[in-house]
Amino acid sequence: MQKKIITRFAPSPTGYLHIGGLRTALYNYLYARKNGGQFLLRIEDTDLKRNSEEATQAILQAFKWCDLDYDGSVEYQSRRFEIYKKYIQKLLDEGKAYYCYMSKDELDALRSEQEARKQRPKYDGRYRDFKGTPPAGIEPVVRIKAPQNGEITFQDGVKGEVKFKVEDILDDFIIARSDGSPTYNFTVVVDDALMGVSDVIRGDDHLSNTPKQIVLYEALGFEVPKFFHLAMIHGEDGKKLSKRHGATDVMEYKAMGILPEALLNFLVRLGWSHGDDEIFSLEELKKIFDPHHISKSASAYSFKKLEWLNAHYIKTLAFERLNLELKGLGFDLSAVSRGEFLLDLLRERAKNLLEIIASAKSIINEPNSYDENAVQKFINEKSLKLLAFFETELNQQRKAKEFEDFTNEFLQKHEVKLKDLAQPLRIALTGSAVSPSIFEVLEFLGVGECKKRIQKILKIKG
Ligand code: GLU
């Protein structure tokens, strides 16, 4: 029988949730969901100085926005110190770990010596077999007895076989600091093992931790999980993704009017593919995602691609779904009469929800001012005259298509072209020369409102 897939996302709450972190979370989530397994969320908040409740909330908020659910309740490492203590004691009792009484000065001296000899700084094992009386006044750290030579090898689901030479990477590293607090590598191993995590998908910035963690799994007698190390996302210039390339905070994307559907679709493709397909819903991904198809190199972050996906989802999602996001941005189209009609009008060419909100507002609200450049270009004696005729002849409410026929007849009669009327009319109705199909706007606003707005511009500019 295949082992149950249990994955986890284990962020350290030091700030907002980075989009690289969201991609890691997504891959873990999808792998668990695809296999009917479990996806856990564990907050690694043992560094009390660097972690904050605010950052934890930011992570939870981002999960909620993206509709990523996790199994069970959120685990907090800060509440598990007793468990770590127990396992540290176990290793001490079994002689697999030991107290080290080296002072900071001694450690510094050792490091300088090694640096002078151009050696990698590492602990020299001087307390490994210490049997004497410990020096007074020193609170010891606890170190693991790590292998001293040979290789540590594992099969990475992304990178294939990964080999580390013990001499290059290991020493008897610290598992508990002098204040008794456990170190990162130790807590991760204990938690992953006790929580039954079968597969660890994480950024390859953790690759060098993996041999240390394998040493700990083995010392503790736990089964080593399968690892998948993801190549970091980089910008189009090949450099590691940073603020310089654009927003990195997940919630900043929400504020920019990006849909979570688009962001997740975008992130899943940064390092994973399924044929030539580009569009994936979360539901579909839950059926097809396989981390064994993650590529060794991540593709580059491209905001254009994200916008392209966003435009796709804006075009295709249901009114209720889009409106929920709009509400999250403080704008509710269900409170607007014919709001759904208006959304259909606007969604065809919007790249983000902010554009929709701005256009919707410019249509719903009678203009208080007019775009200066547009006025200069399109409003003059001739166009105002044409608007006046149009206002007079506008007689009854119609569908957009019928407004088009009506307008064509009007243009013929006055021997002018659509371009002579369309822009001045747009300015009159919405305040600027950019709006969706003018006939749809006429239908949405209705004859009475259109007449009122044309009269207003005639009065102000006439
Ligand atoms: N807490 C670690 C981090 O935020 C992740 C640990 C892991 O995935 O093993 O980088």
Side-chain angles (χ1 to χ4, degrees):
M1 206 183 74
Q2 215 210 333
K3 222 173 105 183
K4 183 163 181 179
I5 302 292
I6 302 182
T7 62
R8 49 54 163 192
F9 179 53
S12 308
T14 51
Y16 56 78
L17 180 59
H18 189 279
I19 54 168
L22 180 59
R23 180 188 60 158
T24 302
L26 178 64
Y27 284 3
N28 280 288
Y29 168 84
L30 292 173
Y31 191 33
R33 293 289 173 261
K34 158 89 170 36
N35 291 284
Q38 283 189 329
F39 170 63
L40 313 176
L41 178 58
R42 184 173 74 227
I43 304 291
E44 307 215 310
D45 56 349
T46 51
D47 188 343
L48 303 174
K49 278 190 229 94
R50 291 182 62 224
N51 300 153
S52 75
E53 175 55 27
E54 231 179 301
T56 300
Q57 288 312 319
I59 293 164
L60 297 178
Q61 195 190 20
F63 260 61
K64 204 157 168 212
W65 180 58
C66 292
D67 203 23
L68 296 182
D69 55 321
Y70 41 83
D71 294 287
S73 43
V74 185
E75 295 282 357
Y76 292 88
Q77 285 195 325
S78 58
R79 299 179 193 165
R80 297 171 58 82
F81 278 107
E82 284 311 310
I83 300 174
Y84 308 132
K85 233 187 212 161
K86 195 178 106 193
Y87 282 95
I88 286 166
Q89 193 56 50
K90 181 173 184 280
L91 291 180
L92 284 167
D93 293 345
E94 291 172 359
K96 292 176 179 166
Y98 60 92
Y99 289 114
C100 168
Y101 296 89
M102 220 167 153
S103 67
K104 185 172 177 314
D105 287 348
E106 283 174 302
L107 257 175
D108 288 346
L110 175 65
R111 178 161 306 140
S112 319
E113 237 174 71
Q114 287 167 332
E115 274 166 8
R117 273 188 264 127
K118 304 236 174 314
Q119 285 172 343
R120 180 173 72 88
K122 65 179 197 184
Y123 175 67
D124 61 3
R126 69 180 68 174
Y127 281 96
R128 192 175 168 110
D129 298 307
F130 181 71
K131 297 267 168 351
T133 316
I138 301 255
E139 286 297 339
V141 297
V142 179
R143 290 182 182 273
I144 185 79
K145 275 189 188 163
Q148 292 177 303
N149 46 48
E151 276 173 350
I152 294 190
T153 309
F154 64 96
Q155 275 300 325
D156 188 278
V158 175
K159 298 187 184 293
E161 186 178 76
V162 180
K163 237 185 225 175
F164 285 101
K165 262 177 102 172
V166 162
E167 280 145 64
D168 294 342
I169 188 123
L170 281 183
D171 60 3
D172 286 354
F173 56 92
I174 297 174
I175 57 173
R177 302 181 189 91
S178 55
D179 62 4
S181 64
T183 54
Y184 157 71
N185 282 315
F186 190 78
T187 56
V188 167
V189 167
V190 170
D191 284 347
D192 281 342
L194 297 186
M195 294 173 191
V197 171
S198 61
D199 296 79
V200 171
I201 306 176
R202 63 184 175 194
D204 68 5
D205 49 337
H206 283 289
L207 193 62
S208 61
N209 286 320
T210 305
K212 294 182 184 171
Q213 293 178 7
I214 290 174
V215 165
L216 294 175
Y217 278 106
E218 285 168 355
L220 289 160
F222 292 139
E223 199 180 327
V224 181
K226 177 146 188 186
F227 293 101
F228 297 81
H229 286 96
L230 310 173
M232 299 273 110
I233 301 173
H234 54 82
E236 282 168 301
D237 56 2
K239 300 219 170 83
K240 194 178 154 207
L241 189 68
S242 72
K243 284 247 169 226
R244 263 184 320 113
H245 299 101
T248 49
D249 173 0
V250 169
M251 295 312 277
E252 234 178 281
Y253 285 90
K254 177 181 177 191
M256 281 154 51
I258 300 290
L259 290 160
E261 284 85 348
L263 186 59
L264 294 179
N265 191 152
F266 172 68
L267 290 176
V268 83
R269 285 282 293 107
L270 286 181
W272 174 86
S273 56
H274 188 261
D276 291 331
D277 298 350
E278 286 294 352
I279 307 283
F280 299 98
S281 70
L282 203 53
E283 284 315 306
E284 195 181 342
L285 288 169
K286 285 191 217 172
K287 293 190 195 118
I288 59 173
F289 182 79
D290 183 347
H292 297 91
H293 298 156
I294 293 171
S295 63
K296 285 196 174 103
S297 55
S299 38
Y301 171 93
S302 149
F303 188 68
K304 270 214 159 68
K305 169 109 183 267
L306 175 57
E307 270 192 327
W308 175 78
L309 286 163
N310 206 43
H312 165 79
Y313 286 102
I314 286 178
K315 270 196 210 102
T316 52
L317 289 179
F319 171 76
E320 288 71 23
R321 174 70 197 102
L322 282 182
N323 197 49
L324 197 71
E325 284 303 314
L326 289 170
K327 268 161 100 176
L329 295 168
F331 186 74
D332 183 0
L333 266 180
S334 64
V336 172
S337 116
R338 306 195 71 205
E340 191 163 350
F341 178 86
L342 183 56
L343 180 66
D344 287 342
L345 248 179
L346 300 175
R347 59 159 102 207
E348 277 311 310
R349 39 176 168 164
K351 290 195 294 295
N352 62 62
L353 297 178
L354 300 186
E355 287 178 7
I356 295 217
I357 295 173
S359 306
K361 283 185 175 165
S362 79
I363 294 173
I364 294 165
N365 305 316
E366 174 185 307
N368 278 325
S369 61
Y370 301 96
D371 180 87
E372 266 312 312
N373 287 336
V375 167
Q376 263 195 3
K377 226 162 139 188
F378 300 111
I379 299 294
N380 47 46
E381 210 176 313
K382 205 171 136 217
S383 64
L384 285 172
K385 217 161 156 191
L386 202 58
L387 281 177
F389 284 131
F390 193 74
E391 192 271 334
T392 314
E393 291 176 36
L394 210 51
N395 47 10
Q396 66 187 65
Q397 177 60 359
R398 301 159 204 257
K399 293 265 174 228
K401 180 72 190 81
E402 294 155 6
F403 268 124
E404 190 172 352
D405 298 340
F406 164 84
T407 306
N408 281 335
E409 278 167 33
F410 173 87
L411 297 174
Q412 264 183 9
K413 181 173 146 195
H414 292 271
E415 295 180 346
V416 287
K417 296 248 151 48
L418 180 62
K419 69 171 175 36
D420 300 319
L421 175 72
Q423 297 303 59
L425 188 54
R426 280 200 170 96
I427 297 168
L429 299 181
T430 68
S432 87
V434 278
S435 82
S437 149
I438 196 69
F439 308 117
E440 312 251 12
V441 176
L442 286 167
E443 178 184 340
F444 175 76
L445 290 175
V447 169
E449 182 65 22
C450 289
K451 278 179 172 286
K452 203 172 124 211
R453 293 189 187 186
I454 298 171
Q455 284 160 11
K456 182 170 178 177
I457 200 168
L458 293 175
K459 206 161 127 201
I460 295 178
K461 303 287 178 193

